[in-house]
Amino acid sequence: MRKTLLLLSTLALALVITAWSASPAAAQGGILQKVKDRGRLVCGVNGGLPGFSNLESDGSWTGFDADYCRAIAAAVLGDRAAVEFVPLTAAERFVALQTGEVDVLIRNTTWTLIRDTQVGVDFAPTTFYDGQGFMVRKSEGVTDLDQLAGASICVTSGTTTELNLADTMRARGIDFTPVVFEEIDTVYNAYEQGRCDAVTSDKSQLAARRSVFANPDDHVILEATISKEPLGPVTVHGDNAWHDLVTWVVFATFFAEEHGITQANVDSFAGTENPEIARFVGTTGNMGELLGVRPDWGVQVVKAVGNYGEVFDRNLAPLGLPRGANKPWTEGGLLYAMPFR
């Protein structure tokens, strides 16, 4: 089974590299114009991760990542609703981006050197600083990694999570049995059914999936964090104009929080005498022109989803996730918008 999975992973990577060499979207050089002409942003998401991107029973999409899709649509089209969400598995995500099936990928994807240099994608600023953890049943009484010796651990294939698990356990000399699945739903269903002793992933994902378990309080996320997982939007390599636009939409949400600009008060800044805020709201300067969008694109972003803190509080705070490193740099966090000048 493992040999088969390895072969499939190798073939998938080969397809991605082949797609990169052709890179149709990059060759056309105009995803921004393509989105404008279509009148709709096509955004690749997880689709089954409450708090980040989740298809609700009424057909609506909710979540932190889904809101960043809406923010980009608002900046380009002035319409937060002009988004087509495409749920993708971990194995599908990069091929979908390379072949132009989606315009941008906002799907809890970790920024790594190999992905940045070999897979043909570019990473926009990190929107969520995460780390890999482990969840176990409280009844097991496990409190640290050493107590997982001999355990079976469920994990999603083709992810940094799978690689981190192997590296960490090897370094600590802990024997374990990986139970690997491609689909995230299968991973957590297997854990809930007792087919493995523990499940590992980004801590935010563990919290999100625990929230929809039949008995969430029966499960605990261990304190140990074994990796850095910077998550954020991803664009195809080579389309700099599109990457710039996505990058500055992210910075716009950081900037708005730094300066106390919210969904409720953004219009009140139209007459601001603060020159940087004036450039942000488009009353002076040509920031919109430089990005290829309307002058008030920053206002459209904030009206669509709010500043970073509002996006976080609406989607992730209900999961019990602390802001932690995801605070503005002015409050000791890692969120830092480049200057709007």
Side-chain angles (χ1 to χ4, degrees), residues 111-340:
W111 187 347
T112 72
L113 186 150
I114 290 176
R115 288 173 175 173
D116 208 357
T117 59
Q118 298 296 309
V119 183
V121 299
D122 290 326
F123 288 82
T126 297
T127 51
F128 188 83
Y129 290 94
D130 208 340
Q132 184 173 339
F134 295 80
M135 181 161 60
V136 298
R137 282 172 282 278
K138 280 184 180 177
S139 59
E140 299 292 337
V142 173
T143 58
D144 61 47
L145 294 188
D146 290 339
Q147 292 175 294
L148 290 177
S152 55
I153 302 176
C154 283
V155 63
T156 307
S157 64
T159 62
T160 55
T161 304
E162 183 183 17
L163 302 176
N164 294 335
L165 172 64
D167 287 351
T168 298
M169 294 310 210
R170 185 184 304 115
R172 297 175 70 116
I174 301 174
D175 291 328
F176 74 103
T177 301
V179 182
V180 181
F181 301 98
E182 180 178 325
E183 302 286 346
I184 182 174
D185 287 342
T186 310
V187 169
Y188 288 93
N189 288 340
Y191 168 73
E192 263 203 297
Q193 294 165 5
R195 295 171 61 187
C196 50
D197 302 308
V199 58
T200 184
S201 189
D202 298 345
K203 283 189 166 180
S204 63
Q205 184 182 120
L206 296 176
R209 297 302 298 223
R210 182 177 60 176
S211 71
V212 294
F213 280 178
N215 298 296
D217 293 340
D218 291 348
H219 307 269
V220 61
I221 298 171
L222 301 184
E223 184 175 347
T225 301
I226 66 168
S227 70
K228 294 181 290 186
E229 303 293 337
L231 313 177
V234 188
T235 64
V236 71
H237 182 75
D239 192 334
N240 293 343
W242 180 239
H243 185 257
D244 287 346
L245 186 282
V246 173
T247 292
W248 283 93
V249 167
V250 174
F251 284 150
T253 63
F254 297 172
F255 179 90
E257 184 173 26
E258 288 176 21
H259 292 81
I261 303 171
T262 69
Q263 270 184 307
N265 70 14
V266 62
D267 285 333
S268 70
F269 287 88
T272 180
E273 295 183 358
N274 180 313
E276 191 173 22
I277 295 178
R279 290 190 289 271
F280 175 78
V281 299
T283 53
T284 63
N286 62 342
M287 300 293 173
E289 179 183 352
L290 294 175
L291 289 173
V293 292
R294 50 197 295 164
D296 67 342
W297 66 276
V299 173
Q300 296 299 320
V301 167
V302 178
K303 282 188 172 181
V305 301
N307 64 42
Y308 182 91
E310 292 178 291
V311 177
F312 187 101
D313 290 344
R314 182 170 56 249
N315 296 298
L316 303 183
L319 297 176
L321 294 174
R323 281 292 294 266
N326 298 293
K327 292 180 181 177
W329 67 283
T330 51
E331 298 177 14
L334 298 176
L335 304 187
Y336 186 107
M338 300 302 117
F340 278 72

